Amino acid sequence: MIDRIGRRTVGLIQAVGRWGQFMADMVRALPDVTTWGRLALVQMRRVGVDSLPVALFIAAFTGVVLALQASYTFTGTVPLYFVGTLVGKTMMLELGPVLAGLALAGRVGASMAAELGTMKVTEQVDALETLAYDPQSFLVVPRVLAGTVMFPIVVALAVLVGIMTGWMTSLWLLNLSTPEFVKGLRQFYQFKDTWFGLFKSATFGFTITTVGCVVGLSTRGGAEGVGRSTTRAVVYSAVAILVLDAFWAAVLLR
Amino acid sequence: MIRFENLHKAFGDKQVLAGLTLEVQDGETMVVIGYSGTGKSVALKHIVGLLDPDAGDVLVDGRAVSTLDRDALNALRREIGYVFQFAALFDSLTVAENVALGLRRRGLDDDEIAERVTEALALVDLTGAGERYAAELSGGMRKRVGIARAIALRPRYILYDEPTTGLDPVTSAVIDRLMVRTREHLGVTGVVVTHDMRSAYTVGDRIAMLHEGRIRQVGTVAEVQETDDPVVRQFIEGRPT
């Protein structure tokens, strides 16, 4: 029993140490702009532009459901224009960033872990090193940078789409007028709602891509190992997003 | 000159290298033979600092690889071409882009890169294949691209990790011929890790047998072929125990 606790503790400390080393290596690679500059643009397209359909699809239906559920909850007790408040606040503060983050943890995190894992087990990462490239500059920095920059943009568009579908639902299904919806939307709006959601999205983007890279580059054991890494990346990213979500709410919204 | 000095390396409980000492002279091709899992590739990876030794070191022109800082290690790597067992080509890049990757790192201009890529592909008989993607190539072609990627750098040293493994006899002979041609053309010092004895006899100036973590015998091709050492004889004749 003591032996098992000891081994787990040592394993945990080693994992934290590896993570710290990884972050330090990433920071060290930042000045190598000639290597990661062009690659970052490619990754921004993959992480950002290619992720838009899934993020916008989720946001569109979330806006519809939010409006309908708000109306169902408020009927007879709260003025209906509060539907605009609820749709706006919830999309900006919570559902926009978190749902997009969870969806992209599957799409982006899994694909990064699989790609880097395959490169690791087929010695492509070793080959990069023998060609005098730093894998951190070539593989990690472009991906993490792309995730951190593009996630807030994707989430901002998703929030806009969610609010628009909430507004259209209010117009067509709840008989709420546009001025009423906008009144609700503006009622409790603060600029903090916007930057909080976008800041949170940037941290989600950073986390998902970092986890994808760390897990991918520590892959061992051929195709089976790549499969394990892919699953791990999605699970770790999803857990990290939920924990971070609670953390930022506790730190910034109190 | 490459010198392995009392190199030790273990993975967990498994001691792979246990005092490997070997000298590769400038201009020669040293073939390292040995059973699967005896640490031949592990020894090779120490030369370019892909692995750190537990004890001992590898000296390349007097530079102890494990003590080099990142810049010095990259400078050393620029002098070495490495041909991986399964070529380790980047599947998302074309053949020409794969060959050019190391040249870009050296800061060459586009014209010189194009010239070197063409020359390297011609040397491995792949003229005209530059626009094909690595994923579309056969095993033998991948290995040839791997060799082209290494020789395009015009290295002082070239390291081959199991260059003929998994290939049919004819393609293996093509790769052997390429290795000989590369040496004649570029005058490079080579280390070849293999358990293909026909290849070893064709490309090697000297052959060293790695057994139980250290060198069992080292000598010219003729000396190894005539050895009385029962372990080496059994291996080169491919006799089961």
Side-chain angles (χ1 to χ4, degrees):
Chain A
M1 174 75 172
I2 291 171
D3 184 47
R4 204 169 60 212
I5 293 171
R7 270 204 305 271
R8 289 221 169 150
T9 308
V10 169
L12 188 67
I13 292 168
Q14 282 175 335
V16 171
R18 277 198 301 271
W19 184 271
Q21 181 68 51
F22 187 89
M23 299 307 278
D25 286 344
M26 195 160 68
V27 170
R28 180 186 41 71
L30 278 174
D32 190 8
V33 183
T34 47
T35 299
W36 61 254
R38 188 179 48 84
L39 297 166
L41 293 175
V42 176
Q43 290 301 326
M44 281 179 179
R45 184 183 55 75
R46 280 193 199 168
V47 172
V49 180
D50 295 354
S51 296
L52 275 176
V54 65
L56 299 188
F57 182 82
I58 290 170
F61 284 90
T62 306
V64 172
V65 172
L66 272 177
L68 291 172
Q69 286 188 345
S71 148
Y72 169 76
T73 310
F74 294 161
T75 304
T77 52
V78 178
L80 208 54
Y81 67 82
F82 274 104
V83 168
T85 311
L86 190 130
V87 169
K89 282 270 184 188
T90 313
M91 282 307 296
M92 279 186 261
L93 290 175
E94 182 64 16
L95 291 185
V98 172
L99 288 184
L102 289 173
L104 300 192
R107 210 195 85 79
V108 175
S111 89
M112 281 185 186
E115 185 182 5
L116 298 189
T118 304
M119 289 184 75
K120 178 75 178 172
V121 300
T122 56
E123 294 186 312
Q124 290 177 51
V125 178
D126 285 348
L128 271 180
E129 290 201 58
T130 62
L131 294 171
Y133 282 99
D134 178 356
Q136 291 282 336
S137 308
F138 199 91
L139 300 173
V140 177
V141 173
R143 285 168 171 76
V144 174
L145 205 69
T148 311
V149 171
M150 295 308 287
F151 260 54
I153 296 172
V154 172
V155 167
L157 293 171
V159 168
L160 276 177
V161 167
I163 292 173
M164 281 181 64
T165 56
W167 164 63
M168 288 189 280
T169 307
S170 304
L171 278 184
W172 295 333
L173 299 180
L174 305 178
N175 296 320
L176 198 67
S177 68
T178 299
E180 280 179 309
F181 183 85
V182 173
K183 179 185 171 189
L185 196 60
R186 296 176 64 174
Q187 184 91 47
F188 295 102
Y189 174 77
Q190 304 170 68
F191 181 61
K192 188 179 183 181
D193 299 348
T194 304
W195 74 251
F196 174 78
L198 298 183
F199 169 75
K200 196 161 74 167
S201 307
T203 65
F204 290 171
F206 177 84
T207 305
I208 290 169
T209 47
T210 307
V211 168
C213 290
V214 172
V215 171
L217 289 176
S218 53
T219 302
R220 288 199 180 123
E224 195 184 336
V226 174
R228 268 198 307 269
S229 286
T230 309
T231 310
R232 255 187 219 145
V234 176
V235 173
Y236 293 170
S237 297
V239 170
I241 284 174
L242 297 175
V243 171
L244 261 180
D245 189 38
F247 174 77
W248 289 128
V251 171
L252 296 173
L253 293 185
R254 280 196 303 169
Chain B
M1 185 175 73
I2 297 171
R3 182 172 163 74
F4 295 90
E5 273 192 351
N6 197 27
L7 195 65
H8 286 72
K9 183 70 181 177
F11 295 99
D13 297 335
K14 185 173 167 53
Q15 188 72 41
V16 179
L17 299 177
L20 167 64
T21 297
L22 179 68
E23 211 169 83
V24 183
Q25 300 293 338
D26 283 341
E28 77 169 337
T29 297
M30 170 69 77
V31 177
V32 180
I33 58 171
Y35 292 95
S36 298
T38 49
K40 303 185 295 294
S41 299
V42 170
L44 212 58
K45 286 181 175 175
H46 279 86
I47 300 174
V48 284
L50 288 175
L51 291 173
D52 285 324
D54 297 334
D57 215 329
V58 180
L59 276 73
V60 181
D61 295 333
R63 290 166 288 181
V65 176
S66 71
T67 63
L68 299 177
D69 62 24
R70 183 163 289 276
D71 290 338
L73 185 59
N74 278 337
L76 172 74
R77 285 170 173 170
R78 288 189 168 101
E79 298 173 24
I80 298 174
Y82 199 118
V83 180
F84 286 84
Q85 185 172 356
F86 299 106
L89 302 181
F90 303 102
D91 292 337
S92 58
L93 302 181
T94 64
V95 166
E97 286 167 344
N98 264 287
V99 178
L101 199 59
L103 300 171
R104 289 199 192 291
R105 186 61 175 163
R106 282 155 177 74
L108 302 183
D109 63 50
D110 287 349
D111 290 341
E112 190 168 359
I113 289 173
E115 188 183 314
R116 289 238 208 148
V117 169
T118 306
E119 184 189 78
L121 288 178
L123 203 64
V124 298
D125 300 324
L126 282 175
T127 302
E131 294 312 307
R132 293 178 68 178
Y133 277 87
E136 302 167 4
L137 305 178
S138 66
M141 287 175 85
R142 289 176 74 86
K143 297 234 179 185
R144 280 149 67 192
V145 176
I147 294 173
R149 185 170 69 184
I151 61 181
L153 306 170
R154 297 185 184 157
R156 291 192 58 217
Y157 301 96
I158 190 157
L159 314 177
Y160 298 92
D161 189 0
E162 309 270 9
T164 57
T165 297
L167 300 179
D168 64 75
V170 175
T171 311
S172 293
V174 169
I175 299 292
D176 288 344
R177 197 178 60 195
L178 270 178
M179 288 192 280
V180 172
R181 196 195 293 176
T182 300
R183 185 193 153 186
E184 288 167 354
H185 189 79
L186 300 173
V188 291
T189 303
V191 181
V192 183
V193 157
T194 187
H195 40 58
D196 175 350
M197 288 315 300
R198 198 175 71 167
S199 176
Y201 296 148
T202 307
V203 304
D205 294 311
R206 289 196 297 155
I207 295 175
M209 175 148 179
L210 183 61
H211 186 67
E212 294 177 348
R214 51 181 78 192
I215 296 298
R216 176 86 183 194
Q217 183 180 4
V218 60
T220 62
V221 171
E223 284 169 350
V224 169
Q225 283 173 325
E226 289 161 17
T227 184
D228 293 328
D229 186 314
V231 173
V232 181
R233 280 234 72 81
Q234 185 189 358
F235 183 83
I236 64 175
E237 289 171 3
R239 279 188 285 108
T241 47

